[in-house]
Amino acid sequence: MSDTPAPIAEGERFDPARFFELARKIGHGRALGMEFKDSGDNWTELCLPWREELVGVPDSGLLASGAIVSLIDTASGTAIWAALGKFIPLATIDMRIDYLRPAFKGESVFARCECTKLTSRIAFTRGTAHVGDPAKPIAYSASTFMIGP
């Protein structure tokens, strides 16, 4: 028996925890090692544990900004699916990230993103990334996504 869960079908009722059970075992999700933390009706919180292979500049120990972008993008998309209540294809149209400081050696990054508005074809999200204290963010995000094919 395979330990890879069955894929999520388009239009299926969306369960963020089940999504991450799958996402952690394939492709990009497996490479980055993101973890599901919590979710609500229109938000999701994920974690990117610090690992040596995610460091941007080897001598610094600072987490690469691209890994943080991926974490925020994934948390944003997952928040949209939670708001929609189903899995449907999404495409990131625009993502703005305002970095306030880097993630230092050994610091895991958490991203909590919420879907703030849904239209028939566009979803809007905002988010905060931090290293354990949401009151001390390392970045803010604002994004738009296209819904559906």
Side-chain angles (χ1 to χ4, degrees):
M1 180 175 202
S2 171
D3 65 347
T4 302
I8 297 170
E10 183 177 337
E12 179 180 335
R13 178 76 186 146
F14 185 72
D15 175 357
R18 180 169 172 261
F19 171 76
F20 266 87
E21 181 184 336
L22 172 63
R24 285 183 50 83
K25 296 182 179 188
I26 59 173
H28 193 225
R30 182 177 64 199
L32 290 176
M34 286 184 254
E35 299 173 354
F36 174 80
K37 291 299 178 188
D38 202 0
S39 67
D41 290 342
N42 70 333
W43 63 272
T44 301
E45 184 173 52
L46 306 178
C47 177
L48 179 64
W50 186 92
R51 294 192 338 261
E52 190 71 42
E53 59 269 24
L54 298 178
V55 169
V57 180
D59 293 338
S60 72
L62 301 178
L63 196 60
S65 60
I68 297 170
V69 169
S70 293
L71 174 69
I72 292 170
D73 187 53
T74 303
S76 295
T78 308
I80 294 166
W81 291 323
L84 289 168
K86 62 184 175 182
F87 182 81
I88 192 167
L90 300 173
T92 308
I93 297 172
D94 183 52
M95 178 175 282
R96 176 189 168 116
I97 299 179
D98 295 323
Y99 286 100
L100 306 174
R101 75 161 183 88
F104 296 107
K105 185 173 185 172
E107 291 183 323
S108 294
V109 177
F110 299 82
R112 182 181 169 129
C113 296
E114 67 176 309
C115 179
T116 57
K117 182 175 176 79
L118 290 170
T119 71
S120 62
R121 301 289 291 159
I122 304 293
F124 299 84
T125 67
R126 67 176 169 215
T128 302
H130 60 87
V131 294
D133 182 355
K136 296 178 182 175
I138 65 166
Y140 294 116
S141 69
S143 305
T144 54
F145 291 76
M146 182 175 68
I147 301 170

